[in-house]
Amino acid sequence: MKYKRILLKLSGEALMGDNQYGIDAGRIEQYAREIRLIKDEGIEIAIVIGGGNIYRGVDAERTGIDRVQGDYMGMLATVINAMALQSILEKNGMYTRLMSGIKMEQVCEPFIKRKAVRHLEKGRIVIFGAGIGNPYFTTDSTASLRAIEMQADVVLKGTRVDGVYTADPEKNADATKYTTLSFQEAYEKGLKIMDMTAFTLCQENDLPIIVFNMNKSGNLLSIVKGEEVGTLIK
Ligand code: UDP
């Protein structure tokens, strides 16, 4: 296996499937199956999940809600997704721990770096909920930060497209996919891979990112085996 410890970033929006809101049963089951495939290979797995299917801090101001308050609401949304994912992973026979950036003792452990590493070493899948626990950050930044803290080999950003393209492939038929990119190239070309905070954290810490299509069965397994799937930014 090329990668032994990975951090998988899943967006909240992806969990909606074809719905407009919430969690799609088929989609979350599929994710569990993909994750199971790499778990069976002994890969150590940390997961950060977003909350965009439920709430985003940037939407707050539109409704008169204070931005910081909205960000905390967004963080709570990620915990809802994390709890759903935890449940489905366990149903599929995996051992998990949910660690939160905001203390909520009844439903999850608080994030403690050393404990999180220990869970990974023991083969438990660690899901990080509530982002970093601070407003004005995103779950992409959380993914980068936790990956660095866990000394993960790579951040795997699961999306619904096959990788990073020259233009939006859903809007532009001529768009072509990059196989590899340097951080510098991605920056100069203005390619949106992660927000700048997340992107810079990876760049400064030599942490590669792979953007790939999580909805294609077998992709995740192919990546950890070292096959060329998606776009590698390094
Ligand atoms: N959020 C935050 N701090 C964090 C992580 C998340 O304030 O460390 C809030 C932010 O408002 C964000 C929301 O939680 O909009 C949901 O996360 P995100 O938008 O990253 O989810 P995704 O787009 O991946 O579904």
Side-chain angles (χ1 to χ4, degrees):
M1 294 292 138
K2 175 159 187 194
Y3 301 111
K4 294 189 175 63
R5 178 178 292 174
I6 60 121
L7 189 136
L8 176 64
K9 162 73 210 294
L10 298 172
S11 80
E13 251 176 7
L15 279 188
M16 294 191 292
D18 296 326
N19 307 324
Q20 296 300 309
Y21 181 84
I23 299 166
D24 179 71
R27 178 55 52 79
I28 198 166
E29 270 290 343
Q30 187 234 332
Y31 282 0
R33 283 196 301 272
E34 302 304 314
I35 293 164
R36 177 74 204 245
L37 290 178
I38 64 167
K39 186 70 240 170
D40 288 345
E41 297 293 336
I43 308 298
E44 294 179 1
I45 307 163
I47 303 174
V48 169
I49 187 148
N53 55 325
I54 302 172
Y55 201 81
R56 274 215 173 83
V58 285
D59 298 334
E61 278 158 340
R62 238 183 342 100
T63 43
I65 296 169
D66 171 72
R67 168 65 198 266
V68 172
Q69 185 88 335
D71 277 341
Y72 279 110
M73 290 165 70
M75 287 183 250
L76 297 183
T78 72
V79 178
I80 293 177
N81 285 334
M83 289 174 72
L85 183 64
Q86 176 175 42
S87 182
I88 302 297
L89 291 179
E90 287 184 341
K91 201 179 83 183
N92 281 272
M94 288 166 268
Y95 293 96
T96 66
R97 290 290 186 273
L98 171 53
M99 300 192 114
S100 171
I102 296 176
K103 266 197 194 167
M104 0 186 149
E105 283 163 14
Q106 281 79 358
V107 290
C108 46
E109 298 177 18
F111 171 70
I112 297 168
K113 185 245 168 187
R114 283 168 202 279
K115 266 197 148 184
V117 171
R118 193 79 191 109
H119 287 322
L120 291 175
E121 287 169 353
K122 285 190 172 173
R124 297 169 184 144
I125 297 175
V126 180
I127 307 169
F128 296 115
I132 293 167
N134 290 312
Y136 293 103
F137 287 89
T138 62
T139 48
D140 274 356
S141 316
T142 310
S144 305
L145 178 64
R146 296 290 185 248
I148 294 161
E149 289 178 286
M150 296 301 109
Q151 296 184 298
D153 302 317
V154 65
V155 173
L156 303 179
K157 182 168 160 121
T159 68
R160 56 182 187 188
V161 290
D162 287 330
V164 181
Y165 284 76
T166 50
D168 185 347
E170 286 176 353
K171 290 180 193 143
N172 192 328
D174 299 331
T176 55
K177 196 189 83 180
Y178 293 105
T179 310
T180 45
L181 276 166
S182 69
F183 283 103
Q184 193 60 29
E185 274 176 297
Y187 178 73
E188 279 165 9
K189 291 184 162 69
L191 300 169
K192 279 198 74 191
I193 291 160
M194 285 181 159
D195 62 76
M196 273 323 282
T197 311
F199 186 81
T200 311
L201 265 175
C202 289
Q203 182 175 23
E204 286 179 351
N205 291 280
D206 282 326
L207 178 66
I209 307 166
I210 297 175
V211 180
F212 73 103
N213 191 337
M214 182 69 189
N215 299 345
K216 274 197 191 151
S217 189
N219 262 357
L220 187 61
L221 179 62
S222 300
I223 290 173
V224 298
K225 283 182 173 167
E227 289 166 29
E228 227 173 53
V229 173
T231 302
L232 169 67
I233 303 102
K234 60 173 186 180

